Amino acid sequence: MIQPLTMPEQGYTLTPKEDAIETQMLEVSMGPHHPSTHGVFRMDVVLDGEEVRRLKPVLGYLHRNHEQLAEKMNWLGSIPFTDRLDYFCSMTNNWAYCLAVEQLAGIKVPERAEYIRVIMAELTRLQNHSCQAGFLLSDTGAWGTPLLYAFREREKILDLFEAASGARMMCNYMRFGGVRADVDDDWLAAARKVVENYPCFIDELEALITGNEILLARTQKIGILPRELAINASITGPMLRASGVDYDIRKVDRYGIYGRLDFRVPLGEVGDVYDRYYVRILEMRESVKILQQALRDIPEGPSDAGVKMRNFKVPVGDGYGRIEGPKGELGFYLVSDGSTRPYRYHVRAPSFINLTILEDMCVGHKLADAMVILGSVDIVLGEVDR
Amino acid sequence: MYNFFDQLILTLGAWVVGLVVACGNGVSKFCCGQPLSEAAAHNVAAGTEIVLICVTIYGVFALCFGLATWLERKMLARIQNRYGPNRVGPFGLFQFVADGVKMLTKEDIVPARADKLVHFLAPAVVLAPALLMFAFLPFGRNMAPTNLDTAVIAFFAVGAGSEMALFMAGWGSRNKYSILGAMRAVAQMISYEIPLVLAAVPVVMVVGSLSTSQIVAAQGADGFLDMSRWFVWTPWGFAGFILFLVAATAESNRCPFDLPEGESELVAGFHVEYSGFKFALFFMAEYIGMMAMAGLGVTLFLGGWHGPKLLPSWMWFMGKGFLIVCWLIWLRGTLPRLRVDQLMAFAWKAMLPFALFNIFTTAVWFHLPKATLLQSAVAWLVTAALVAAAYWVVSRFVCRRAGALRVYHYAS
């Protein structure tokens, strides 16, 4: 049924005849194999011409029973599995889990380990946000160039991870009460060099594309997420801050040593794709500042609390450890019955919860915009499906 | 020496034609006891010439297609901080041969519920107009395949045929991505054909002929100073050249107007269901169409095959054409893609009014006196002011900037 079209300026109403051209909605199943659904994610899209009328995210193609596995395994055993949640940010995943266990078991983390954790987490944030910007720009059609620039920088950070932990992506680096291996002065020097050079890359990326007319047209006023909706939908991370909500767990919880570090939290105003893109760029600049401070102040000392891992047990109780992951609030809710295994293990995955709002952002936009909006959410399917 | 290289291809052609006629004479003497009559000899020569022209165009531009794919991959790779193809041949130069072999040996998949005939025909139909467009371009001195008086119109008319092929491909595949891509392709190419043709109109107005050979002849001789007679140096010519380039980019479905393929949303758009050599034909049509467009741009605005006598005329033509192709590749490595409504708005709201006004500017230029240097300078300045004013009006009032940079604040 075609609605009558009122034209107040002309002062008349156009009423289409009933036998006007009959149109049909087109239902397209995009994914799970699709170049820009960022993995095995599927969207059932109902299109009116090019316009999205309904969109249903379909998940679960990468489900691998992460939580159940962790409940069948000792406390230490699931650290390597947390690497595989958000495989771009294994360091922060490790940290969130360790933080939850440390809370439960009341383990005090030595100073140097806290610094190393902050350094690793912020390096993770840098590479995650760079690549996210690259993927988003690829979705807008900037064919790979920003993405490959981001990957060039990511290589340097992955080299640092490899030097510290022995693995580039699946780092498995943090332990209850500290980190698995201390970093030496050479590593710190190398990290300083990477951090010093990082603003050059951010400037380069911005010079390449931020002011680009087409990018502005493609991203501004697209996929607006209003402040209230963002809060109600439990959105976290850069996406929430792009909608103008001042909520950064590094500032709220001041976990680790974040209370001592000087950094600012950039906020967006409109909450559209462009804000989400640019808030991440600004966060990278803040991360560089954090890294400079942490690398300057890192003290000597032990890099772990010497917790005995063999037959490690946790007192009865429950605990929730959360950090500001690059994608949002990454939380681990753990219930212990005093044995060597968690009784209940739950991951609050930011990618998954940020994805739930996709339809509200996409409806009414064009199909091409839906892809850009999806890109701006920043999902990793390993974390969405768990 | 220069003339030898300049006319090398023609000399070779004449030699082959002579050879064929001589053979014909020989055969005729052997069979009938007398040489070919004058009319018959003439027919044999003309027929041979046509075959030679076709073979040369197919051969040269199929090779150019191969080189263009190599160039594109290599340039994009260098833009993107990669190496690009570097295994087959020196600098990976023969990569396209390997690609061709791969494409030829791949399985040809036809979707079960596709419209088989339409699906089968589309790749051939898309390639034919792309190749045919070269019939109207003068490649060098005395090297125009046809001397049509309406060559410019014929070029656009033939080029418009590819739209139907794209829609055939999209419709025949019976795939939702394809049909979306085909819808976009038709809408886009019809919209951009208008500014494309209007961008070429000023040149036709000034030259007073639709013949590409005469358009080239109007753009000077072969000295260094004669380069100043290329139309691109006039204000209306420059504006027309930019309009032409943008419209040609859209017409050949290149980034930032590659919506019909729309990789990030439509996977591959209208050719998503094509595999093997049928896919290669689409690819080939895109590149050959792109080169033909570049060739027309060179002919209309960059003096055609004219250039200082350092290089043979056909090399000038090819060089300029490849320069435009490089520019297109550079764009692809840099720009994001427009959205479908923005694309349409740009065609109708920005390019069309600007192109129409450019025609008016050209008329002003045509009627201004240009006898002395001073008068020419005045004419140049007046038309430049008109072009600038048109640009200002269009960019300020008709098709405004879509967005602006924002200032961000931090949480207190």
Side-chain angles (χ1 to χ4, degrees), chain B residues 47-401:
Chain B
T48 319
E49 211 162 286
I50 290 170
V51 171
L52 274 181
I53 287 170
C54 291
V55 168
T56 315
I57 288 180
Y58 290 168
V60 168
F61 285 97
L63 193 69
C64 280
F65 155 68
L67 288 179
T69 55
W70 173 82
L71 188 72
E72 166 136 41
R73 292 177 64 175
K74 206 74 184 170
M75 265 183 77
L76 271 180
R78 293 320 298 160
I79 288 172
Q80 296 176 346
N81 194 36
R82 297 183 281 122
Y83 287 114
N86 61 358
R87 295 287 121 177
V88 194
F91 310 108
L93 206 54
F94 299 141
Q95 182 66 40
F96 69 91
V97 181
D99 285 346
V101 170
K102 183 194 81 170
M103 291 291 189
L104 275 170
T105 50
K106 268 191 156 182
E107 186 189 356
D108 174 36
I109 302 166
V110 182
R113 297 185 62 206
D115 189 331
K116 300 262 179 347
L117 183 68
V118 177
H119 185 270
F120 174 78
L121 279 179
V125 178
V126 77
L127 188 59
L131 280 170
L132 204 54
M133 284 197 275
F134 284 106
F136 311 114
L137 298 176
F139 302 111
R141 186 175 288 115
N142 309 328
M143 280 168 68
T146 60
N147 264 322
L148 215 58
D149 284 340
T150 54
V152 175
I153 291 286
F155 184 95
F156 290 129
V158 166
S162 60
E163 275 142 52
M164 187 183 65
L166 298 196
F167 198 75
M168 279 167 72
W171 184 259
S173 302
R174 203 184 273 265
N175 178 304
K176 287 169 182 174
Y177 295 128
S178 306
I179 196 79
L180 276 170
M183 268 157 43
R184 284 181 180 186
V186 171
Q188 170 180 338
M189 292 178 81
I190 289 178
S191 301
Y192 275 87
E193 221 140 69
I194 295 159
L196 184 73
V197 175
L198 289 182
V201 165
V203 176
V204 176
M205 284 164 68
V206 167
V207 178
S209 166
L210 281 164
S211 155
T212 42
S213 302
Q214 291 197 24
I215 288 172
V216 173
Q219 297 183 64
D222 294 341
F224 274 100
L225 276 177
D226 290 315
M227 282 164 74
S228 65
R229 286 169 66 189
W230 297 358
F231 288 142
V232 73
W233 305 126
T234 59
W236 56 269
F238 183 73
F241 182 57
I242 301 293
L243 280 169
F244 182 88
L245 276 187
V246 175
T249 313
E251 198 61 15
S252 46
N253 294 333
R254 296 279 305 179
C255 180
F257 305 107
D258 54 347
L259 281 93
E261 284 161 47
E263 189 180 296
S264 52
E265 62 266 13
L266 298 184
V267 188
F270 57 86
H271 58 58
V272 74
E273 289 288 7
Y274 283 91
S275 59
F277 209 69
K278 284 183 187 163
F279 169 76
L281 286 181
F282 276 108
F283 208 63
M284 197 164 166
E286 184 188 321
Y287 275 81
I288 288 189
M290 178 171 93
M291 284 188 283
M293 281 293 173
L296 187 67
V298 168
T299 306
L300 291 177
F301 298 101
L302 297 182
W305 46 262
H306 283 305
K309 282 196 170 183
L310 302 171
L311 294 170
S313 55
W314 44 275
M315 270 203 187
W316 272 110
F317 180 85
M318 287 291 186
K320 291 175 195 171
F322 263 96
L323 215 60
I324 293 181
V325 170
C326 288
W327 180 79
L328 289 170
I329 295 169
W330 181 20
L331 277 193
R332 185 174 169 204
T334 313
L335 289 180
R337 186 184 301 123
L338 279 165
R339 201 174 58 213
V340 67
D341 55 325
Q342 293 161 348
L343 176 95
M344 288 303 184
F346 187 62
W348 295 102
K349 284 161 78 179
M351 292 189 65
L352 185 64
F354 195 51
L356 285 172
F357 197 81
N358 199 33
I359 294 176
F360 169 73
T361 314
T362 316
V364 172
W365 166 275
F366 190 74
H367 287 290
L368 283 174
K370 291 184 288 295
T372 64
L373 198 63
L374 183 68
Q375 280 174 335
S376 299
V378 169
W380 199 95
L381 286 174
V382 167
T383 41
L386 280 173
V387 167
Y391 176 77
W392 186 78
V393 168
V394 168
S395 62
R396 186 58 68 88
F397 299 109
V398 186
C399 190
R400 298 173 61 177
R401 286 191 64 137

Side-chain angles (χ1 to χ4, degrees), chain A residues 111-181:
Chain A
E111 192 81 332
R112 186 175 173 85
E114 292 282 23
Y115 270 91
I116 296 175
R117 283 180 173 187
V118 165
I119 291 167
M120 293 302 180
E122 294 305 322
L123 284 174
T124 303
R125 196 182 317 280
L126 276 185
Q127 59 102 352
N128 180 74
H129 283 1
S130 318
C131 293
Q132 195 278 337
F135 285 127
L136 172 64
L137 294 167
S138 266
D139 286 345
T140 62
W143 198 80
T145 307
L147 179 64
L148 284 157
Y149 283 19
F151 267 56
R152 182 190 65 205
E153 297 307 310
R154 180 174 180 244
E155 280 306 294
K156 297 175 188 163
I157 291 175
L158 292 190
D159 284 346
L160 288 179
F161 286 172
E162 188 180 14
S165 74
R168 295 167 70 77
M169 282 176 79
M170 305 295 130
C171 296
N172 185 15
Y173 184 56
M174 303 203 184
R175 289 290 179 270
F176 312 134
V179 295
R180 199 181 72 221

